[in-house]
Amino acid sequence: MAPKAQCPRPAGLSPARTRRGRDVADVKSVTDSAMAEDERAFMRAVIAGLADLKAGGELPLAEAKARLGLK
């Protein structure tokens, strides 16, 4: 018999189990999944921006507004 596959879990989170000791699937809605992906993309962009600032990549406010098409 092949060993049971283990899925990674966040630290401190114990798996949900049935009365018989079997794992329970954690199912998310499409909306929750899409929102979580949007949040991850936003955080990636923030981190990339902070890294750019740390490397000296500064931009005058007027130029940034022009690039974004703002007044």
Side-chain angles (χ1 to χ4, degrees):
M1 183 181 248
K4 192 173 183 182
Q6 297 292 321
C7 64
R9 297 201 182 271
L13 183 63
S14 60
R17 304 221 182 239
T18 65
R19 283 189 224 168
R20 295 184 179 184
R22 296 181 185 240
D23 289 345
V24 176
D26 182 19
V27 181
K28 294 182 181 172
S29 71
V30 174
T31 305
D32 289 343
S33 180
M35 194 157 70
E37 181 57 36
D38 289 345
E39 289 174 2
R40 284 190 294 274
F42 174 76
M43 289 308 298
R44 278 190 226 106
V46 168
I47 290 168
L50 290 174
D52 189 38
L53 276 175
K54 194 172 187 179
E58 295 182 25
L59 191 65
L61 181 59
E63 189 177 340
K65 284 183 175 183
R67 283 187 182 186
L68 294 171
L70 303 174
K71 293 181 180 182

